[in-house]
Amino acid sequence: MKALVKIMPKKGVLDPQGKAIEKSLNQLGFPQINKVIQGKLIEIEIDSKDEANAEKIIEDASKKLLANLVIEDYEITILKGE
Amino acid sequence: MKALVKIMPKKGVLDPQGKAIEKSLNQLGFPQINKVIQGKLIEIEIDSKDEANAEKIIEDASKKLLANLVIEDYEITILKGE
């Protein structure tokens, strides 16, 4: 089974990478681009036939390692049929 | 209008960050996790009323700055109603 974990900086937290991309895009000729936020996307392949169980394991992994809960939010999506 | 750009390493390209996460998760007590791929997720706010136009601009920005097309694939999603 495959799952995606989307990890984004929490609102209000400084996002220097996003800011750098935003500035570069404006300078490169994209003045229409107002705001950029950079996060991470982690694709996980997990040995589990049971969707609820897979989600529980990935939620646990997100809290323990993948996301820094002080400054980041995470969102898990189980990809069905994969 | 908001859009998401998903940027993942191409298949076959070395992904040391993904490998490091995979190994750490296995050692932390998640033996069910087989494969981890780490990519980027970039959220963009763009001044454009026209969806096709916004997509064109973001596609252009992805090619020029956001993705390294030699080793990465990108995928643009326009978020409707935002």
Side-chain angles (χ1 to χ4, degrees), chain B residues 4-72:
Chain B
L4 284 178
V5 186
K6 175 181 161 185
I7 300 170
M8 299 299 279
K10 279 184 200 277
K11 278 196 205 322
V13 168
L14 211 64
D15 172 25
Q17 287 180 303
K19 279 276 164 237
I21 295 173
E22 192 181 312
K23 213 171 159 183
S24 302
L25 284 176
N26 290 342
Q27 290 169 346
L28 272 173
F30 299 96
Q32 316 90 331
I33 287 174
N34 285 328
K35 200 180 169 194
V36 177
I37 304 173
Q38 178 172 339
K40 283 181 284 189
L41 192 64
I42 298 175
E43 198 183 299
I44 295 177
E45 240 177 76
I46 180 167
D47 255 347
S48 170
K49 295 274 170 258
D50 174 15
E51 206 175 294
N53 179 251
E55 190 162 346
K56 200 174 153 287
I57 293 169
I58 292 172
E59 173 122 26
D60 205 16
S62 300
K63 285 184 186 157
K64 278 200 186 148
L65 183 80
L66 304 178
N68 177 348
L69 300 182
V70 179
I71 55 169
E72 293 168 329

Side-chain angles (χ1 to χ4, degrees), chain A residues 2 4 6 8 11 21 24-25 28 30 32-47 57-58 60-61 64-66, chain B residues 2 4 6 8 11 21 24-25 28 30 32-47 57-58 60-61 64-66:
Chain A
K2 272 192 189 173
L4 284 178
K6 174 181 160 183
M8 299 298 279
K11 276 196 204 323
I21 295 174
S24 301
L25 284 175
L28 272 172
F30 298 96
Q32 317 90 330
I33 287 175
N34 284 329
K35 200 180 169 191
V36 177
I37 304 173
Q38 177 171 340
K40 284 181 285 191
L41 193 63
I42 298 175
E43 198 182 298
I44 295 177
E45 241 178 75
I46 181 167
D47 255 347
I57 293 169
I58 293 173
D60 205 16
K64 277 201 186 146
L65 183 81
L66 303 179
Chain B
K2 273 192 189 172
L4 284 178
K6 175 181 161 185
M8 299 299 279
K11 278 196 205 322
I21 295 173
S24 302
L25 284 176
L28 272 173
F30 299 96
Q32 316 90 331
I33 287 174
N34 285 328
K35 200 180 169 194
V36 177
I37 304 173
Q38 178 172 339
K40 283 181 284 189
L41 192 64
I42 298 175
E43 198 183 299
I44 295 177
E45 240 177 76
I46 180 167
D47 255 347
I57 293 169
I58 292 172
D60 205 16
K64 278 200 186 148
L65 183 80
L66 304 178

